[in-house]
Amino acid sequence: PIVNVALTTFGRLQQDLPALQRAYLRLTQFMATGSMPLFFGLGAVADVLVPLVFGERWEGSAVVLQLLGFIVLGSSINYFFPPVMIAVGKSRRLLTQSLFQLVVTIVFIFIGGQFGLVGVMVGFIARGLVVAAYNLLVLRKEAGVDVGQVLRSLIPPIVSSAILYGAVEAMKFQLRGHVPD
C-alpha cells in the first residue's frame, strides 16, 4: 500500500527534485524502520515459534524465517525504485532493471539451489542486495539521490534490529534449561 501511495507522492514532486529525493529517503527509512525489526524479531524467535505452531517436523524450516530479515535489507531500497523512475520520466529504466533482476535471480537461484533451501534463501538475499546496489546507482544518475545518505539512513534500523536479535538470543540462552520445552 505504501508503494502505491509513493507513486502519487513522487508524481506530485516530479518538478521539485530535492523534495522528491527527501521523500524517497524518508519513505525508504520508514519502510526499513517498520519492517527490519519485525522480520529480524521473527527470525530471533523462529527456532521456538515454528515447532510450537507447526510441530517438530517443521523445525528445519525455522532457518527460512531467520533469513527473511536479510531480504529486507535490499527490499527497503528496492520498494520505491519504480515510483521514482516513473515520477522522473524514466519508466524505460524499469524494463532494464527488470531484465537485470531476472538474470541475477536466475543466476543466484541456480547457484543457491545447489545447496538446498538455505542456498536458495541466500541466493534471494544476494539478489536483493545486488539489485539494490544497481537501483541506487540508477537513482543517483536519474534522480540525483545521494547514495551515502540512503545508506546512512538505514543504519538506525539495522543497528536496532541487530540489538533486538542479540537481546532475544541472550534471553533464550539465559532461559535454556530453566523453562520446560
Side-chain angles (χ1 to χ4, degrees), residues 75-168:
S75 297
S76 297
I77 293 168
N78 298 335
Y79 281 131
F80 301 110
F81 178 79
V84 170
M85 289 298 104
I86 292 168
V88 297
K90 301 293 183 176
S91 57
R92 294 204 41 99
R93 284 292 208 161
L94 296 176
L95 176 61
T96 307
Q97 188 259 15
S98 294
L99 292 172
F100 174 76
Q101 185 169 287
L102 176 65
V103 170
V104 170
T105 301
I106 290 168
V107 169
F108 283 23
I109 299 308
F110 177 77
I111 293 169
Q114 309 301 309
F115 302 96
L117 183 58
V118 172
V120 170
M121 287 301 292
V122 170
F124 269 116
I125 294 165
R127 179 208 51 106
L129 294 173
V130 168
V131 171
Y134 173 88
N135 288 348
L136 285 173
L137 293 174
V138 173
L139 284 165
R140 181 179 66 196
K141 181 179 181 200
E142 302 295 355
V145 171
D146 183 342
V147 173
Q149 206 172 13
V150 172
L151 297 177
R152 283 189 298 279
S153 77
L154 296 178
I155 291 172
I158 290 170
V159 169
S160 63
S161 296
I163 291 169
L164 168 69
Y165 194 90
V168 171

Side-chain angles (χ1 to χ4, degrees), residues 28-95:
T28 299
Q29 188 176 35
F30 173 76
M31 284 298 284
T33 301
S35 59
M36 281 185 193
L38 179 70
F39 281 93
F40 279 100
L42 179 60
V45 297
D47 59 334
V48 175
L49 187 66
V50 169
L52 180 68
V53 173
F54 299 106
E56 295 295 322
R57 67 181 189 177
W58 288 94
E59 190 171 9
S61 65
V63 71
V64 172
L65 285 178
Q66 291 168 332
L67 291 171
L68 276 177
F70 292 99
I71 290 175
V72 176
L73 294 173
S75 297
S76 297
I77 293 168
N78 298 335
Y79 281 131
F80 301 110
F81 178 79
V84 170
M85 289 298 104
I86 292 168
V88 297
K90 301 293 183 176
S91 57
R92 294 204 41 99
R93 284 292 208 161
L94 296 176
L95 176 61

